[in-house]
Amino acid sequence: LAHSDPPPEDKSRGPESIRLFVNKPTLDFDGAEEESPVQELKITADHLNGAPIELRYVLFQKVLSLTIFIPGNIGGGDVTALSCIKIIGTPAPQEGAKPSEEQQKSAKS
């Protein structure tokens, strides 16, 4: 689940789309424009008013890094503005990682 809010005073500066790339920590602007993203989100007026955007769960498993690219805004201007981006999810334990004390206690219950 992703959620974004542009500044309420100027919705035309809100993103038109958001491109998400998984496990590409060295991706630059040229690469983000040319490569296919894992998921591209088309932003609607509802999203700009706070409606959540559902992500395709199966595309976001084993994520070590998430690169977010915003190619432009609704108004076509030079400046795109966001007041926040919330990404809601649950981190998965990494293979070979030692479980925390809390995880060990809950496993014994």
Side-chain angles (χ1 to χ4, degrees):
L1 182 68
H3 175 76
S4 68
D5 294 321
E9 67 275 358
D10 189 0
K11 300 279 188 199
S12 70
R13 291 176 38 192
E16 180 177 45
S17 66
I18 298 174
R19 302 182 81 189
L20 303 174
F21 299 88
V22 171
N23 302 332
K24 302 236 179 208
T26 60
L27 188 68
D28 60 12
F29 286 103
D30 290 333
E33 288 179 350
E34 295 170 5
E35 287 189 35
S36 296
V38 169
Q39 187 170 357
E40 184 162 2
L41 310 171
K42 298 296 182 188
I43 307 302
T44 66
D46 288 340
H47 298 133
L48 293 177
N49 289 320
I53 303 167
E54 295 290 327
L55 301 181
R56 294 189 57 208
Y57 172 76
V58 297
L59 300 176
F60 296 93
Q61 298 179 31
K62 298 187 180 185
V63 174
L64 298 176
S65 69
L66 180 66
T67 302
I68 300 170
F69 178 67
I70 301 171
N73 61 48
I74 291 172
D78 291 334
V79 177
T80 300
L82 293 172
S83 60
C84 72
I85 294 178
K86 298 175 190 172
I87 299 178
I88 303 165
T90 305
Q94 293 183 354
E95 292 180 25
K98 182 180 176 186
S100 68
E101 287 182 31
E102 184 177 314
Q103 291 171 329
Q104 291 174 13
K105 288 178 185 176
S106 67
K108 292 179 183 178
S109 304

